[in-house]
Amino acid sequence: VIDSLPYAKINVLHWHMSDSQSFPFESKTYPRLWAGAYSDFEKYTQADIAAVVEYARARGVRVVVEFDMPGHAASWCKGYPRVCPSKDCPQPLNVADNATFDLIASVLKECTGGQASTTDMPSGLFPDHFVHLGGDEVGTDCWTRTPSIAKWLSDRGMSADDGYAYFVKRAADIALAQGRRPVQW
């Protein structure tokens, strides 16, 4: 795929790293996320990722990673069930628990190096200035049906839609604090 992109005058590969069905990214800070991979043979080590990003860079192709959130994230629950509303209602990610945002911050830091990249000093596994945080197709029914999350929303005078806005802004703020421009659907 990467080799064909320059022929089509495309210089960005959008790498959709996670989805409801799989979390193939090796996180060194949250290693149980790999429990959400399709199989043991369908995982990317950080060395694999670095090799792909460098291969693309050498061909003039930028790689932008996407971690889809708060929806399309049931795979995160296999290793860290606390970041999901409940076993029966696994997504969107739990807006009411700081553990969710701690996990997001940590995984993004592995991708960004925790700072902005410059031409002379790329930072993180994905040195591009952008990071994609998903945000599409989010049904918030699990939030309103999970008592602890419904209470959290109510205590703050928030509707489920307000909770969604809070989540995407907080995730974006994490990316910004790590020197990246967030992209969201």
Side-chain angles (χ1 to χ4, degrees), residues 37-86:
Y38 283 121
S39 73
D40 287 339
F41 303 104
E42 297 170 288
K43 296 178 177 180
Y44 298 110
T45 66
Q46 290 196 4
D48 294 335
I49 292 165
V52 169
V53 171
E54 175 55 25
Y55 186 88
R57 187 206 59 77
R59 285 150 184 81
V61 175
R62 298 168 32 222
V63 180
V64 176
V65 68
E66 177 181 351
F67 289 97
D68 213 343
M69 62 179 87
H72 299 284
S75 61
W76 302 40
C77 308
K78 293 178 183 167
Y80 295 93
R82 180 175 173 181
V83 302
C84 298
S86 72

Side-chain angles (χ1 to χ4, degrees), residues 16-163:
H16 197 285
M17 185 61 71
S18 67
D19 211 323
S20 293
Q21 300 84 6
S22 186
F23 198 102
F25 175 83
E26 176 191 27
S27 171
K28 295 189 181 212
T29 56
Y30 283 86
R32 293 192 322 261
L33 283 168
W34 250 4
Y38 283 121
S39 73
D40 287 339
F41 303 104
E42 297 170 288
K43 296 178 177 180
Y44 298 110
T45 66
Q46 290 196 4
D48 294 335
I49 292 165
V52 169
V53 171
E54 175 55 25
Y55 186 88
R57 187 206 59 77
R59 285 150 184 81
V61 175
R62 298 168 32 222
V63 180
V64 176
V65 68
E66 177 181 351
F67 289 97
D68 213 343
M69 62 179 87
H72 299 284
S75 61
W76 302 40
C77 308
K78 293 178 183 167
Y80 295 93
R82 180 175 173 181
V83 302
C84 298
S86 72
K87 202 177 262 190
D88 298 328
C89 209
Q91 57 190 10
L93 293 174
N94 189 344
V95 67
D97 194 330
N98 283 327
T100 303
F101 299 100
D102 292 343
L103 186 152
I104 292 167
S106 185
V107 168
L108 288 182
K109 188 171 184 181
E110 291 181 68
C111 294
T112 67
Q115 62 189 15
S117 286
T118 64
T119 304
D120 296 333
M121 187 185 296
S123 178
L125 285 170
F126 294 94
D128 198 84
H129 297 289
F130 293 96
V131 63
H132 203 298
L133 303 174
D136 64 324
E137 302 170 340
V138 178
T140 55
D141 293 350
C142 283
W143 287 349
T144 56
R145 290 195 322 246
T146 303
S148 61
I149 298 174
K151 181 180 181 331
W152 184 89
L153 290 168
S154 176
D155 288 351
R156 286 157 182 76
M158 298 170 98
S159 67
D161 287 344
D162 295 332

